[in-house]
Amino acid sequence: CDGYALQAACDYLDDCISAYGTVTFNGIAGVFGKKPEGEAFSVEIGNGEDGIFNITDGYVALVSKDFGKSFDYKDGVIDADVQHIAVYASDARVAAVIASIGYANGADAVTSLYKKEDLTFEAVILKKDGKEVYTEKARTEELYTPITTAEEK
């Protein structure tokens, strides 16, 4: 799993070196170490054109037709309402799986999963109609800074 590999790499770097930085792998970005002043890392979504996740730890997974990880199903076409989705979680595997589910099954699938107590993540979804959907803390805790002028749901 891509999330597992990235998480293992970040854990290794965090344990072995005193520096800090980001690691990206197949549409997932992870951070390791701490910046000197404790400031957040900026993880750009859509080459920074759509928004920025501001994280001090954890992982951001992006799934989109245009960038990041994308899907090419042989047996059918995805007809969800999602243009792209970015998911932040402390576990890279959770971020990757939720982003994939949201892209394939739509914004409602993500909001349904968000209500489950055993899953902890935040998400930003840009729908095909131009509207953005945010989970509760993605906007209220300044975790995500939008750049686009899309309408908020």
Side-chain angles (χ1 to χ4, degrees), residues 93-116:
R93 296 162 296 187
V94 170
V97 168
I98 298 295
S100 297
I101 288 170
Y103 184 74
N105 297 292
D108 290 341
V110 174
T111 55
S112 176
L113 288 170
Y114 189 74
K115 295 174 185 173
K116 293 189 175 285

Side-chain angles (χ1 to χ4, degrees), residues 8-9 16 24 26 29 39 43 47-48 56 61 76 81 86 98 121 129 135-136 150:
C16 292
T24 59
N26 205 13
E39 65 266 24
V43 179
N47 299 323
T56 56
D81 58 348
I98 298 295
F121 68 92
D129 63 6
T135 55
E136 184 179 338

Side-chain angles (χ1 to χ4, degrees), residues 20 31 33-42 54-57:
Y20 60 90
V31 301
K34 300 286 180 201
K35 288 188 171 184
E37 303 297 318
E39 65 266 24
F41 293 89
S42 296
N54 306 297
I55 62 173
T56 56
D57 60 10

Side-chain angles (χ1 to χ4, degrees), residues 41-146:
F41 293 89
S42 296
V43 179
E44 297 179 344
I45 307 303
N47 299 323
E49 296 172 5
D50 295 304
I52 299 170
F53 267 95
N54 306 297
I55 62 173
T56 56
D57 60 10
Y59 306 87
V60 175
L62 175 66
V63 180
S64 173
K65 178 181 173 225
D66 301 322
F67 42 79
K69 188 174 185 177
S70 62
F71 294 95
D72 182 19
Y73 285 107
K74 295 178 182 176
D75 297 329
V77 176
I78 295 175
D79 192 25
D81 58 348
V82 175
Q83 178 67 25
H84 67 255
I85 178 172
V87 176
Y88 163 76
S90 59
D91 186 312
R93 296 162 296 187
V94 170
V97 168
I98 298 295
S100 297
I101 288 170
Y103 184 74
N105 297 292
D108 290 341
V110 174
T111 55
S112 176
L113 288 170
Y114 189 74
K115 295 174 185 173
K116 293 189 175 285
E117 292 180 16
D118 56 339
L119 288 175
T120 304
F121 68 92
E122 298 300 326
V124 176
I125 302 164
L126 179 61
K127 296 173 67 174
K128 290 179 181 175
D129 63 6
K131 292 184 180 178
E132 287 185 345
V133 178
Y134 303 93
T135 55
E136 184 179 338
K137 294 178 184 174
R139 288 297 296 274
T140 60
E141 295 186 4
E142 299 179 4
L143 178 64
Y144 177 76
T145 305

